[in-house]
C-alpha cells in the first residue's frame, strides 16, 4: 500500500510553523541576553555613578583644603611679625622686673604664650609649603615597623596594644620620609582616640583588583568612639580638632602627603570598634 504525499499546502504550512518556532526560540534567546546585558549595564552605571560621586567629593575636599592652606599661609605671615615685637618687649620688661618675682612670673607666662604661638605659626607655614615627594624604592614593611616604634611611647602611656599585619617585605616607589610621617601621624591620632588598654591595628598589603590603588593599601584602625557623621568631611581640614591641646594639622598633613603621591585617603567608622583611616597609593 503506497502512502500518499501530503498536499503541498500542508507541507508548506508545517515548514512555516517550524520556521516560526525557530524564530521565536531565537528571539527568546536574544531577549534573554539583552535583559542580562541591560542588568549588567545598570549595575555598571550605578557603580560608575557612585565612583563619580566619591571622586567629586574628594576633589571638592582637595580644593577646599588648598583654599584653606593659602588663607592660613597669609595669616601666619601676618601673625609672625607682631609676635616678634611682643617677644622683644616681654624680654625687655623681664630685665626690668628682676627684683619683682610676682610680676616677672607674669611676664614669663607671656613669653611662654608667645613661644607657643610661634611654634603654631611654624607648623602652619610648614603645612602650607608645597610638599614634593622624592620618589625612590623603599620597603614599606620596614617603614611601618619604624613608625610603630616611634609611636610606642604614646601608646605605652595608655597601655594600648598595637597589632601589625602585613608582609615582611613590600617594596614600593615612594618618599620614605613622607610615608613614615603620614603613618606616624595616623598612629598618634589613633592612640589619642583610643581608651586605656585600647587596641590599634595597622595593616598594609598590595592592592587587589577591586581597590583603587597602584602600589599598596595601608589602614590604621582604632577601637575608640569613631568619627561623628557631621565631622567626616571636616576631619582633614587644617585647624579642625576635637582635642583640647591639638593644632588640627596632623591629619591635614597626612592628606597632603597622600596627595603628593597621587593617592587617596578615606575614613570610615567600624561598627562597634572605632574608626579606620585607609591610604591608597
Amino acid at each position: 500500500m503506497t502512502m500518499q504525499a501530503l498536499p503541498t499546502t500542508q507541507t508548506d504550512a508545517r515548514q512555516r510553523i517550524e520556521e516560526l518556532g525557530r524564530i521565536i526560540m531565537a528571539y527568546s534567546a536574544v531577549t534573554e541576553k539583552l535583559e542580562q546585558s541591560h542588568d549588567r549595564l545598570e549595575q555598571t552605571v550605578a557603580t560608575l555613578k557612585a565612583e563619580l560621586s566619591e571622586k567629586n567629593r574628594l576633589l571638592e575636599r582637595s580644593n577646599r583644603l588648598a583654599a584653606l592652606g593659602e588663607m592660613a599661609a597669609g595669616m601666619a605671615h601676618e601673625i609672625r611679625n607682631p609676635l616678634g615685637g611682643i617677644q622683644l618687649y616681654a624680654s625687655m620688661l623681664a630685665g626690668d622686673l628682676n627684683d619683682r618675682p610676682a610680676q616677672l612670673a607674669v611676664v614669663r607666662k607671656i613669653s611662654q604664650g608667645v613661644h607657643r604661638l610661634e611654634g603654631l605659626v611654624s607648623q602652619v607655614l610648614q603645612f602650607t609649603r608645597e610638599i614634593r615627594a622624592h620618589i625612590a624604592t623603599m620597603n614599606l614593611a620596614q617603614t611601618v615597623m619604624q613608625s610603630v616604634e616611634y609611636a610606642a611611647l604614646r601608646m605605652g602611656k595608655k597601655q594600648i596594644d598595637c597589632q601589625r599585619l602585613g608582609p615582611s617585605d613590600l617594596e614600593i616607589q615612594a618618599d620614605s620620609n613622607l610615608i613614615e610621617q603620614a603613618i606616624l601621624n595616623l598612629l598618634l591620632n589613633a592612640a589619642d582616640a583610643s581608651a586605656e588598654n585600647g587596641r590599634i591595628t595597622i595593616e598594609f598589603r598590595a592592592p587587589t583588583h577591586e581597590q583603587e590603588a597602584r602600589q599598596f593599601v595601608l589602614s590604621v584602625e582604632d577601637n575608640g568612639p569613631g568619627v561623628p557623621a557631621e565631622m567626616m568631611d571636616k576631619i582633614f581640614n587644617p585647624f579642625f580638632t576635637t582635642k583640647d591641646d591639638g593644632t588640627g594639622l596632623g591629619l591635614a598633613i597626612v592628606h597632603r602627603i597622600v596627595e603628593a603621591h597621587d593617592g587617596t585617603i578615606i575614613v570610615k567608622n567600624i561598627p562597634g570598634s572605632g574608626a579606620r583611616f585607609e591610604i591608597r597609593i
Side-chain angles (χ1 to χ4, degrees):
M1 180 177 179
T2 59
M3 296 182 61
Q4 292 182 346
L6 289 172
T8 303
T9 55
Q10 293 183 7
T11 302
D12 292 344
R14 186 175 64 182
Q15 290 176 347
R16 285 196 294 270
I17 291 172
E18 292 175 353
E19 185 177 352
L20 181 61
R22 286 193 295 270
I23 291 173
I24 292 173
M25 291 179 63
Y27 176 79
S28 298
V30 170
T31 301
E32 184 177 354
K33 289 182 180 179
L34 285 174
E35 288 178 350
Q36 293 173 355
S37 298
H38 181 266
D39 292 340
R40 287 195 298 269
L41 183 60
E42 280 191 335
Q43 293 174 0
T44 302
V45 169
T47 301
L48 290 174
K49 281 184 177 179
E51 291 177 356
L52 181 60
S53 176
E54 178 66 11
K55 292 292 184 183
N56 287 336
R57 189 182 68 83
L58 294 176
L59 179 60
E60 182 183 351
R61 186 176 71 187
S62 297
N63 292 336
R64 184 172 66 249
L65 290 179
L68 285 170
E70 291 180 7
M71 181 182 68
M75 291 179 62
H77 284 294
E78 292 297 325
I79 292 172
R80 171 165 278 183
N81 293 332
L83 279 180
I86 294 172
Q87 183 61 51
L88 174 62
Y89 288 122
S91 299
M92 293 171 61
L93 185 58
D96 295 335
L97 296 175
N98 284 327
D99 57 341
R100 285 177 277 184
Q103 289 83 352
L104 181 61
V106 174
V107 173
R108 285 176 175 169
K109 287 182 179 179
I110 294 173
S111 294
Q112 290 172 359
V114 171
H115 280 303
R116 187 175 185 279
L117 286 174
E118 285 180 340
L120 178 58
V121 168
S122 296
Q123 290 184 50
V124 170
L125 291 175
Q126 180 183 6
F127 166 75
T128 57
R129 291 193 193 103
E130 182 181 3
I131 295 180
R132 292 185 179 180
H134 300 286
I135 306 299
T137 301
M138 60 167 284
N139 191 322
L140 183 60
Q142 292 180 1
T143 300
V144 169
M145 182 173 64
Q146 290 172 356
S147 301
V148 172
E149 290 177 356
Y150 293 151
L153 180 62
R154 181 84 63 89
M155 294 187 290
K157 289 181 178 179
K158 300 172 73 172
Q159 300 296 313
I160 295 172
D161 176 48
C162 183
Q163 185 177 16
R164 191 172 70 247
L165 303 176
S168 59
D169 185 75
L170 180 58
E171 285 195 348
I172 61 171
Q173 297 293 316
D175 187 314
S176 59
N177 291 328
L178 290 179
I179 295 297
E180 182 180 285
Q181 183 181 1
I183 296 172
L184 179 59
N185 281 353
L186 288 180
L187 288 172
L188 296 177
N189 183 74
D192 290 339
S194 299
E196 296 286 339
N197 301 308
R199 183 189 72 253
I200 295 175
T201 302
I202 178 168
E203 183 177 2
F204 60 98
R205 61 190 181 281
T208 62
H209 293 296
E210 294 79 16
Q211 292 170 318
E212 293 184 3
R214 305 179 309 278
Q215 299 191 73
F216 70 91
V217 175
L218 182 145
S219 63
V220 175
E221 182 178 322
D222 62 67
N223 66 340
V227 181
E230 65 275 11
M231 296 182 183
M232 280 291 185
D233 286 336
K234 303 176 184 177
I235 198 73
F236 296 108
N237 287 1
F239 314 116
F240 179 81
T241 180
T242 57
K243 306 172 190 175
D244 294 335
D245 57 349
T247 62
L249 291 174
L251 290 178
I253 291 174
V254 173
H255 184 274
R256 293 202 62 206
I257 290 173
V258 173
E259 277 197 330
H261 287 83
D262 294 325
T264 58
I265 179 170
I266 59 175
V267 56
K268 297 179 180 177
N269 281 328
I270 309 300
S273 62
R276 175 189 178 95
F277 289 83
E278 184 174 283
I279 293 175
R280 300 173 181 176
I281 293 177

